[in-house]
Amino acid sequence: MKYGKVYLVGAGPGDSRLITLRAVELIKAADCVIYDGLVNPALLRYAPPAAELISVRKRTGPNPANQQTVNELIIEKARRGKTVVRLKGGDPGMFGRAPEEAKQCADAGIDFEIIPGVTAALAAAAYCGIFLTDRDYNSQVMFVTGHEAAGKEESNIDFELLAKFAGSIVFYMGVEGLGEIAAKLVENGKAADTPTAVIANATLPTQRIVKAPLNRIAAECDSQQVKAPAMIIIGQAAESDARFNWFMNQPLFGQNIVTTRDIRGNAVFAENILAHGGNPIQFDSIEIKDLTGDEEVQTVLQNMDGFDWIIFTSANGVRATFEALDTLGKDARSFAQAKVACIGSETTACLAQFGIKADFLPTVYTSDQLAEQLARHTSVENKKIALLRSAAAPKNLADALTKSGAIVADVGVYTVEPRKGEPTGLIEQIKAGKIDWLTFTSPSTVKAFFTQIRPDLISTRGVKVASIGPVTTEQLKKLGVNVTTQARTHTIDGLTDALIKESDKESEIAD
Ligand code: SAH
């Protein structure tokens, strides 16, 4: 049997978007992904469903027996003809065991490739606005492993040389031995007041930075309980301009924000939160189920020609409709005769994906406003209107249109069902005061969430609550939940803006 190929791939430093296109391409084609503890598990979503995913999380410290097992695993999978992606944190060549793995492959006659990644030193520097080189004062950089330093009498590290080195010194794996590293540098003549920065969890929403002179950095990190993984940057570069710390200066940085939609909706919202530096905590409180096979859905979609207006009120409605059309062997041309109205930017964007531009959007994204403004925009009298939306949607939209003289088919194309999650972890985080925000985007998410978590827990722990609009707010109030802020525009973007506005207010108070 032909051997498979092995790819030693850099997964980047933490933020799952800091991976190369080549790495993603290889993960997509892998039969087997063998990944380290520092690899962001979010990257595994690129793997094909049938791929074998093997975690080889190692404890810190050299562990030859363990590494031997990893080597054997790689070889065994490749011998069985599999395409093996060996996914490693940062860059595979920086302070890891890639040289051994490459040797094993070479000895066994197995082809391999090495794909570089964004290494933690460069990522930590960039995400703190630290420039490791500067044409004015610094032309040299040194990468060192601090692992050797901790608790060893003899070490490979030449502290005499490091003490003399006038450039930036970057230590990997050094926080545990930070006190010793700093002491040895000073003993060997490095200035005690050399600027030093320690960056933990670089590029992640939990990133932290501690700055102090070399002789005080260990005590400072101790008192702030800084833990691995962390990078140590020593030298003039570490002083850095606080205004350059763009990542941590983002408006939602440091905020733990719970999203409570369905899995897909949460993923969309999480992207938005991440884009402003926040830490999204995804709690899937509902599940969307398409009613593709439903008789009424099929009949209406078979006879789209007979409708004057089609109305979508959510991206889920659009997706479910096109899913059902697809099963009928139809496509967007079914809407050729009708005009299309919708609410919300997500809905508009989703329609655009299917090649449809909405003919009408109200200025305010609520169903009441849609009914009112559509009737002002055009005469709906005796017009046939199809509402393709959640089976559980409140009847007010259909009633209002009927009142204006329209002939309405209110069709449920999907259902929203509460999803039993695993609330224990979230409850613990709430109790520990680790949650800043709960966000709600519909009455159904409110109901589903608070069947699992008691509303009074929220108010007693100072958790803030953000609502997408008046209907959701009303449902929250019904359950006795205080609403801290309500989005001005009733979309995910609007809700994100509301969170940003609140955190601006807080930082003004803090200033
Ligand atoms: N090959 C990796 C390094 C492996 S050694 C790379 O190129 O980045 C592991 C060390 O890397 C950790 O002890 C820590 O010092 C550093 N490290 C990895 N990810 C990090 C992160 N997100 N933030 C800070 N340090 C990180």
Side-chain angles (χ1 to χ4, degrees), residues 16 19 111 136 139 156 173 204 240 248 287 360-361 400 409 423 482 508:
S16 64
I19 187 158
D111 278 353
D136 287 337
S139 317
N156 291 329
M173 295 179 275
L204 295 170
S240 75
M248 295 172 77
E287 211 170 336
F360 181 77
L361 275 163
N482 279 330
E508 269 165 32

Side-chain angles (χ1 to χ4, degrees), residues 28 129 140 216 295 351 376:
K28 282 183 175 168
Q140 310 173 78
R216 290 219 319 269
E295 216 170 292
L351 270 173
R376 256 192 275 140

Side-chain angles (χ1 to χ4, degrees), residues 173-493:
M173 295 179 275
V175 261
E176 274 95 12
L178 182 57
E180 275 172 78
I181 291 172
K184 281 188 183 151
L185 286 170
V186 175
E187 258 166 47
N188 281 276
K190 189 120 202 129
D193 63 355
T194 309
T196 307
V198 171
I199 302 120
N201 299 331
T203 77
L204 295 170
T206 48
Q207 175 173 307
R208 294 167 70 191
I209 181 166
V210 176
K211 285 183 180 182
L214 184 56
N215 62 346
R216 290 219 319 269
I217 189 73
E220 200 54 48
C221 285
D222 261 359
S223 78
Q224 297 195 31
Q225 301 189 339
V226 175
K227 304 229 157 57
M231 300 300 307
I232 307 162
I233 301 178
I234 303 170
Q236 193 55 42
E239 207 162 53
S240 75
D241 188 331
R243 292 171 308 170
F244 292 177
N245 194 358
W246 64 272
F247 182 64
M248 295 172 77
N249 290 343
Q250 293 175 102
L252 295 181
F253 184 83
Q255 310 249 356
N256 297 313
I257 303 165
V258 180
T259 63
T260 57
R261 313 173 83 192
D262 68 298
I263 188 164
R264 198 200 298 259
N266 276 340
V268 172
F269 196 4
E271 284 292 318
N272 250 6
I273 293 169
L274 279 173
H276 296 95
N279 185 23
I281 297 164
Q282 299 178 44
F283 188 86
D284 306 337
S285 65
I286 53 167
E287 211 170 336
I288 305 293
K289 291 204 171 133
D290 292 352
L291 293 172
T292 310
D294 182 83
E295 216 170 292
E296 190 192 1
V297 173
Q298 297 216 340
T299 314
V300 168
L301 293 185
Q302 291 278 19
N303 300 295
M304 279 282 101
D305 286 359
F307 286 94
D308 300 293
W309 281 90
I310 315 289
I311 295 180
F312 293 103
T313 57
S314 69
N316 286 322
V318 176
R319 251 186 312 265
T321 298
F322 277 90
E323 184 63 36
L325 273 179
D326 192 54
T327 62
L328 296 170
K330 291 176 173 288
D331 60 27
R333 285 169 296 176
S334 300
F335 298 127
Q337 307 303 319
K339 292 206 180 259
V340 175
C342 75
I343 44 179
S345 41
E346 257 186 280
T347 317
T348 318
C350 193
L351 270 173
Q353 279 176 18
F354 294 101
I356 291 183
K357 219 175 189 174
D359 299 284
F360 181 77
L361 275 163
T363 53
V364 177
Y365 295 148
T366 62
S367 4
D368 286 343
Q369 284 296 314
L370 174 65
E372 201 183 309
Q373 294 186 24
L374 183 64
R376 256 192 275 140
H377 168 78
T378 177
S379 164
V380 293
E381 204 165 348
N382 288 325
K383 294 280 158 59
K384 288 186 78 185
I385 300 180
L387 306 182
L388 304 176
R389 54 186 194 148
S390 157
K395 294 289 158 218
N396 52 334
L397 177 57
D399 291 348
L401 290 168
T402 310
K403 240 192 195 155
S404 304
I407 303 150
V408 179
D410 192 2
V411 187
V413 288
Y414 67 95
T415 59
V416 176
E417 285 168 26
R419 185 177 170 279
K420 189 104 194 71
E422 277 171 22
T424 334
L426 184 58
I427 291 171
E428 268 162 29
Q429 282 180 298
I430 292 172
K431 283 186 176 162
K434 293 209 171 117
I435 299 297
D436 299 290
W437 284 101
L438 292 180
T439 60
F440 295 96
T441 54
S442 67
S444 49
T445 57
V446 174
K447 281 185 233 158
F449 184 83
F450 286 111
T451 52
Q452 304 185 59
I453 291 180
R454 291 196 344 253
D456 57 317
L457 184 65
I458 307 308
S459 42
T460 55
R461 303 294 156 155
V463 180
K464 292 171 283 185
V465 175
S467 153
I468 199 165
V471 187
T472 305
T473 299
E474 197 184 318
Q475 184 65 44
L476 283 160
K477 285 190 179 153
K478 247 189 231 163
L479 296 176
V481 178
N482 279 330
V483 177
T484 318
T485 185
Q486 177 183 298
R488 281 221 200 129
T489 314
H490 313 310
T491 60
I492 291 300
D493 286 344

Side-chain angles (χ1 to χ4, degrees), residues 44-62:
L44 302 172
R45 69 173 183 268
Y46 295 118
E52 200 179 354
L53 307 175
I54 306 171
S55 158
V56 289
R57 179 181 288 272
K58 275 180 278 182
R59 269 163 290 144
T60 46

